[in-house]
Amino acid sequence: MDIRTMIAAQRRELAELLAGLPAGDWDAPTLCEGWRVREVVAHMTLPFRTSTPRFLLEMVKARGDVNRMADTTARRDAAALSTGELAASMRDNADTAWKPPGGGFVGALSHEVIHGLDITVALGVDRPVPKDRMRPVLDGINARSVGFFGVDLAGVRLVADDLDWTYGNGEVLGGSAQDLLLVLCGRKLPAGHLTGAPTGRFVQARR
């Protein structure tokens, strides 16, 4: 399966899940700190609804800070669009050939996989990402991409228990490849997803 086909499949599957969500789940928190499901979906579908000139204008308004721009537009669009419109935007653009700047289609697949997991893991939905989609995402991980998320992996070696994949050096932090991908992206996971001595650094605090 080629990357474009994987991207389209990932979007369609998430759109199907979103279409069946109870209304209250759209306001549930995700692994993206400060964003509910509706903000994450608004962010994921922003490229389908925004022209290049509009995107550049939003970046100017955010003074070149891509994270500030992403947060502002996600909150704005989540408030303006209905849940039906958000889910339809994901479904209707499954085949759209969007690529993040400098990321290529592997970057687009990573974007869909990571943010999809932000939603499903937070909601407790058992929806494993197929391993043929995980492999190119994991192969695209490097020090620069990890640095973008600002996660501290000093003294930690990530070891997947469902794929032949490791990252880093030090004490072993085990888990599924998709859970370890979320660790690389700076997410705090619910308890029970990770194993090993460093686990406490990467799980959500008890509420």
Side-chain angles (χ1 to χ4, degrees), residues 118-139:
D118 283 331
I119 294 170
T120 58
V121 173
L123 293 179
V125 175
D126 185 15
R127 182 176 173 267
V129 178
K131 292 181 175 52
D132 63 339
R133 296 180 207 165
M134 284 299 306
R135 178 57 66 186
V137 173
L138 294 172
D139 288 346

Side-chain angles (χ1 to χ4, degrees), residues 38-206:
R38 64 177 68 239
E39 278 85 25
V40 174
V41 180
H43 171 69
M44 294 177 75
T45 58
L46 176 68
F48 313 144
R49 296 179 281 100
T50 305
S51 66
T52 298
R54 182 57 186 267
F55 176 83
L56 294 175
L57 176 61
E58 295 293 349
M59 284 296 293
V60 169
K61 289 162 63 176
R63 299 181 182 179
D65 187 328
V66 67
N67 290 322
R68 180 186 299 166
M69 184 278 293
D71 187 62
T72 299
T73 55
R75 293 179 187 279
R76 179 199 66 201
D77 293 352
L81 299 171
S82 70
T83 58
E85 289 171 323
L86 289 168
S89 185
M90 178 69 68
R91 180 193 66 238
D92 295 344
N93 290 282
D95 294 305
T96 297
W98 170 77
K99 297 178 287 186
F105 285 120
V106 171
L109 178 62
S110 299
H111 188 261
E112 308 304 330
V113 167
I114 293 164
H115 285 308
L117 289 170
D118 283 331
I119 294 170
T120 58
V121 173
L123 293 179
V125 175
D126 185 15
R127 182 176 173 267
V129 178
K131 292 181 175 52
D132 63 339
R133 296 180 207 165
M134 284 299 306
R135 178 57 66 186
V137 173
L138 294 172
D139 288 346
I141 295 293
N142 53 42
R144 182 186 176 200
S145 58
V146 174
F148 174 81
F149 292 106
V151 61
D152 179 12
L153 292 175
V156 176
R157 181 176 182 233
L158 308 183
V159 179
D161 57 23
D162 58 345
L163 280 176
D164 182 16
W165 180 83
T166 67
Y167 185 91
N169 295 284
E171 292 186 297
V172 171
L173 181 71
S176 68
Q178 66 184 44
D179 286 336
L180 296 180
L181 172 65
L182 291 171
V183 169
L184 285 167
C185 296
R187 276 42 169 186
K188 298 286 188 179
L189 274 67
H193 282 251
L194 303 170
T195 60
T199 297
R201 292 167 51 183
F202 305 102
V203 299
Q204 297 172 351
R206 292 181 180 273

